[in-house]
Amino acid sequence: LDNLLAGVRAGGSRVMVVRGEAGIGKSVLLEYVAAQASRVQVTWARGVEADMELPYASLHQACAPFLDGVEELPQPQRDALRVAFGTAVGDPPDRFLVGLAVLTLLTRASETQPVLVLVDDAQWLDQVSLQTLEFVARRLLAEPVAMVFAVRDPEGQSALAGLPALQLKGLDAASAGELLEGAVGGRLEERVR
Ligand SMILES: Nc1ncnc2c1ncn2[C@@H]1O[C@H](COP(=O)(O)OP(=O)(O)O)[C@@H](O)[C@H]1O
Ligand SMILES: [Mg+2]
């Protein structure tokens, strides 16, 4: 993840999916990346189980810092995104156009400063937001845009398949034993003192 930040600062796009079971430390890692990301525009989307039925809710959250740029989008993309985000009336937008619109929006924003999109609890994103963010992740080329998704196993196992992934696992028995021994030893000393 440090390399990902270095890469995007150097002007290249980067994508990483952090996978692991609940409580393994995915959100902590995303917070870590955000804390390291000085001189980078950081935006978050957080999946919320109760909002899964609200189309485009999480995409809207991710795009919030860049919404000024919507006016400058090519017209078909602009119209699609406006309808998706409820600032214009129209038939349900073409998802491809929405995807292109977000790609353009992020790419243009990254001309000022690299962009980092952090998506936590991707297993709880509404479906079109996940599809769109995944589309963008697969289309990134040489623009300074990085995306990090955290997704819970096993719920989100099939989501974001094929993207570069970091699988978080618990400590093996030996390391866990060492840690436990160290901790039990750290506490005894305190008692003696
Ligand atoms: N490396 C770490 N150092 C300290 N605490 C951690 C670390 N990783 C996880 N934790 C703690 O474990 C708990 C679960 O971590 P979290 O990142 O919320 O897991 P997840 O997002 O994978 O469900 C949190 O309370 C967090 O503070
Ligand atoms: Mg979490």
Side-chain angles (χ1 to χ4, degrees):
L1 292 171
D2 286 334
N3 288 340
L4 175 134
L5 270 183
V8 76
R9 281 206 178 96
S13 65
R14 294 287 186 279
V15 176
M16 183 63 70
V17 182
V18 178
R19 297 182 172 280
E21 63 189 43
I24 197 88
K26 302 181 295 297
S27 296
V28 167
L29 274 179
L30 260 55
E31 297 284 353
Y32 166 83
V33 179
Q36 304 301 311
S38 54
R39 288 171 290 112
V40 171
Q41 306 179 76
V42 182
T43 181
W44 284 86
R46 292 185 170 91
V48 177
E49 203 168 5
D51 290 349
M52 283 180 80
E53 303 298 325
L54 303 176
Y56 296 112
S58 295
L59 189 68
H60 185 261
Q61 197 186 9
C63 292
F66 312 117
L67 290 180
D68 283 351
V70 173
E71 296 311 309
E72 316 300 325
L73 292 173
Q75 198 206 335
Q77 297 180 24
R78 184 177 68 214
D79 292 348
L81 205 59
R82 278 181 172 164
V83 173
F85 290 167
T87 54
V89 200
D91 293 331
D94 181 313
R95 291 184 182 190
F96 177 67
L97 283 178
V98 173
L100 282 183
V102 174
L103 186 61
T104 310
L105 200 64
L106 296 180
T107 302
R108 291 197 178 162
S110 75
E111 287 165 10
T112 331
Q113 205 173 39
V115 169
L116 171 64
V117 184
L118 296 171
V119 184
D120 200 7
D121 283 319
Q123 76 282 352
W124 289 331
L125 253 48
D126 62 276
Q127 206 186 358
V128 290
S129 290
L130 181 60
Q131 282 173 351
T132 307
L133 290 168
E134 186 169 356
F135 170 88
V136 172
R138 292 186 198 282
R139 296 281 162 138
L140 289 173
L141 293 169
E143 47 284 283
V145 177
M147 302 178 78
V148 184
F149 298 83
V151 64
R152 181 181 287 191
D153 287 333
E155 290 102 308
Q157 224 146 33
S158 59
L160 305 163
L163 292 172
L166 178 68
Q167 181 77 46
L168 302 186
K169 294 193 177 113
L171 296 176
D172 59 46
S175 309
E178 233 171 81
L179 185 67
L180 188 62
E181 256 170 56
V184 171
R187 271 187 210 160
L188 282 180
E189 234 172 80
E190 249 168 53
R191 284 255 177 115
V192 173
R193 255 192 264 138

